Amino acid sequence: MEVGRGISSNRLICFLFVSVYFEVSIFAHGRLLLEKKPDPVNAAATARWLVSLNSWGVLSTISSDMGGAPFGNVVSFSDGLPSQGLGVPYFYLTTLDPTARYALKDQRSSFTISEYPIGTCGSTDPENPTCAKLTLTGKLKLVDRHSSEAEFAERALFSKHAEMKDWPKGHNFKFFKLEIEDLFLIDWFGGPKPLTLDTYLHPTMNQLASMV
Amino acid sequence: MEVGRGISSNRLICFLFVSVYFEVSIFAHGRLLLEKKPDPVNAAATARWLVSLNSWGVLSTISSDMGGAPFGNVVSFSDGLPSQGLGVPYFYLTTLDPTARYALKDQRSSFTISEYPIGTCGSTDPENPTCAKLTLTGKLKLVDRHSSEAEFAERALFSKHAEMKDWPKGHNFKFFKLEIEDLFLIDWFGGPKPLTLDTYLHPTMNQLASMV
């Protein structure tokens, strides 16, 4: 029994070491470093990978002029400088478009992206659960234009969407962000992956903690 | 003045002839025949082209378990056999997924697609108005499984998404359709294109009528 316990402890230490090494190689200070598709078992890494590599998605808000119907709109986004995303999507929207107008009346919204446009689903159908998809649900909020967060949003968006800096000033584009409350990730069979906001935003510390 | 009228009449006849020829070459019995991107001036043709060539989009419903937030979900769809679409999107959904569950409680929904995944936007940003996007808003309805419409939906979906026919029977997939009430199309500068449901569904007759 003592020998058994010794082997078990060594195995645990070895497992923790490999796990720590693996996690550090994926995340550093909450930033995603890998560009290869993560193992579907790692829900946080998969979700962050989807957000990091996609350039556009569908932002859904509650319509105030169509009987409260959900209104999905194609938008570009960014969660940070290329390969340095932090997981929170920022947008550059004008109130000439209904999405920004709706959000200023009712912040409830969701943002949806797919693995399909990244090109790694191959011949798998976009609705097949192994072709990953992510829906972030929360509140779509205007970013204070004089804040350091607005500076971050500008760098994040303009570095991935170069033409945005030349979009018409008269259209009154503003920075918005999705304050995430819930995550819905499908990246394999068996239904949505359990994934908390905290694990998504701070994956390294949480995942290490859950291994102990 | 008489001469002027004569020239004007000849021009009108010539214009109508060319227009009829052009429209017939795009649509036949409400079906889209062209695979080339239509002129952005032709809103109905552009919208139908987007629906015909895309294989997936984001279907948004009202969540019943997240405070009524709009919930966008990646889904595959089809509006008919390849190159024979009729403009109405059909879906193959299971109530294991929240979208179908939400729709059975509240039919309000929208379906959003982009030109970007078709590959014709080039280096243009996905949010640039010249990279077309379409949102169909309406009611997401279950199709009666014993109806001829269910047979149409099956042919439409399985012809474009071959693996669907092998999806697990135990998951209880069912056919749904979006009963369209409103169209939001951006395909150029200047805001959304005026486009009625009737013009979208029956473009040839309506567009000819509007020229007279």
Side-chain angles (χ1 to χ4, degrees):
Chain A
M1 288 297 290
E2 287 302 313
V3 173
R5 277 183 199 158
I7 291 171
S8 180
S9 297
N10 288 339
R11 277 186 181 163
L12 179 63
I13 290 165
C14 181
F15 172 73
L16 281 173
F17 178 79
V18 170
S19 299
V20 168
Y21 178 81
F22 180 68
E23 292 309 322
V24 168
S25 71
I26 293 179
F27 293 103
H29 307 293
R31 291 175 176 175
L32 188 71
L33 300 177
L34 277 181
E35 299 233 338
K36 190 181 162 198
K37 183 180 178 182
D39 188 320
V41 170
N42 193 334
T46 302
R48 292 289 295 274
W49 175 78
L50 286 170
V51 170
S52 178
L53 288 198
N54 266 295
S55 66
W56 66 279
V58 172
L59 186 56
S60 300
T61 48
I62 298 287
S63 69
S64 50
D65 53 7
M66 286 191 293
F71 178 80
N73 201 352
V74 173
V75 296
S76 295
F77 79 102
S78 174
D79 72 330
L81 294 173
S83 301
Q84 297 183 38
L86 296 175
V88 176
Y90 287 85
F91 309 95
Y92 196 45
L93 307 174
T94 164
T95 48
L96 292 174
D97 210 57
T99 298
R101 291 201 302 274
Y102 293 158
L104 292 174
K105 292 183 180 177
D106 186 336
Q107 295 182 330
R108 291 177 295 174
S109 61
S110 68
F111 184 57
T112 307
I113 53 178
S114 166
E115 182 187 341
Y116 205 75
I118 295 175
T120 42
C121 291
S123 60
T124 302
D125 194 84
E127 197 175 307
N128 186 304
T130 65
C131 183
K133 57 183 180 176
L134 175 69
T135 302
L136 306 171
T137 305
K139 301 288 188 293
L140 186 58
K141 296 195 170 180
L142 185 64
V143 176
D144 178 358
R145 61 184 295 187
H146 300 296
S147 64
S148 58
E149 187 173 19
E151 291 171 16
F152 174 81
E154 182 175 301
R155 285 196 304 274
L157 282 157
F158 291 9
S159 63
K160 288 187 177 176
H161 304 276
E163 68 172 72
M164 280 184 175
K165 67 180 186 302
D166 299 318
W167 286 0
K169 300 300 173 199
H171 285 197
N172 203 21
F173 280 94
K174 292 177 179 172
F175 298 109
F176 286 77
K177 77 164 170 181
L178 185 70
E179 207 165 89
I180 306 168
E181 296 170 352
D182 187 87
L183 298 102
F184 174 83
L185 172 72
I186 301 268
D187 68 352
W188 200 250
F189 305 104
K193 284 282 169 61
L195 178 58
T196 66
L197 177 57
D198 198 36
T199 309
Y200 171 77
L201 292 179
H202 313 289
T204 308
M205 295 305 294
N206 283 282
Q207 288 183 344
L208 290 177
S210 69
M211 290 174 196
V212 178
Chain B
M1 289 297 290
E2 287 302 312
V3 174
R5 277 183 200 158
I7 290 171
S8 179
S9 298
N10 287 340
R11 277 185 180 162
L12 178 65
I13 291 166
C14 182
F15 173 72
L16 282 173
F17 178 80
V18 170
S19 300
V20 168
Y21 178 81
F22 180 69
E23 291 308 321
V24 168
S25 71
I26 294 179
F27 293 103
H29 308 295
R31 291 175 175 176
L32 188 71
L33 301 176
L34 276 180
E35 299 234 337
K36 190 181 163 198
K37 184 181 178 182
D39 187 321
V41 171
N42 194 335
T46 302
R48 291 290 295 274
W49 175 78
L50 286 169
V51 171
S52 178
L53 288 197
N54 267 295
S55 65
W56 66 280
V58 172
L59 186 55
S60 300
T61 47
I62 298 287
S63 69
S64 51
D65 52 7
M66 287 192 291
F71 179 80
N73 202 351
V74 173
V75 295
S76 295
F77 80 103
S78 175
D79 72 330
L81 294 173
S83 303
Q84 296 182 38
L86 296 175
V88 176
Y90 287 84
F91 311 95
Y92 196 45
L93 307 174
T94 162
T95 48
L96 294 175
D97 210 55
T99 299
R101 291 201 303 273
Y102 293 158
L104 292 173
K105 291 183 179 177
D106 186 336
Q107 295 181 330
R108 291 177 296 174
S109 61
S110 68
F111 184 57
T112 307
I113 53 177
S114 166
E115 182 187 341
Y116 205 75
I118 295 175
T120 42
C121 291
S123 60
T124 302
D125 194 84
E127 196 175 307
N128 186 303
T130 65
C131 183
K133 58 183 180 177
L134 175 69
T135 301
L136 305 171
T137 305
K139 302 288 188 293
L140 186 58
K141 297 194 168 179
L142 185 64
V143 175
D144 178 359
R145 61 183 294 186
H146 301 297
S147 65
S148 58
E149 187 173 19
E151 292 172 15
F152 174 83
E154 181 175 302
R155 285 196 303 274
L157 282 157
F158 291 9
S159 63
K160 289 188 177 177
H161 305 276
E163 67 173 71
M164 280 184 176
K165 66 179 185 304
D166 300 319
W167 286 359
K169 299 301 172 200
H171 285 196
N172 204 21
F173 279 93
K174 291 177 179 174
F175 299 109
F176 286 77
K177 76 165 171 179
L178 185 69
E179 207 166 271
I180 305 167
E181 296 170 354
D182 186 87
L183 298 103
F184 173 82
L185 172 72
I186 300 269
D187 68 351
W188 199 249
F189 305 103
K193 283 281 168 63
L195 178 58
T196 67
L197 176 59
D198 197 36
T199 309
Y200 171 78
L201 291 178
H202 312 290
T204 308
M205 293 308 293
N206 283 282
Q207 288 183 342
L208 289 178
S210 70
M211 290 173 195
V212 177

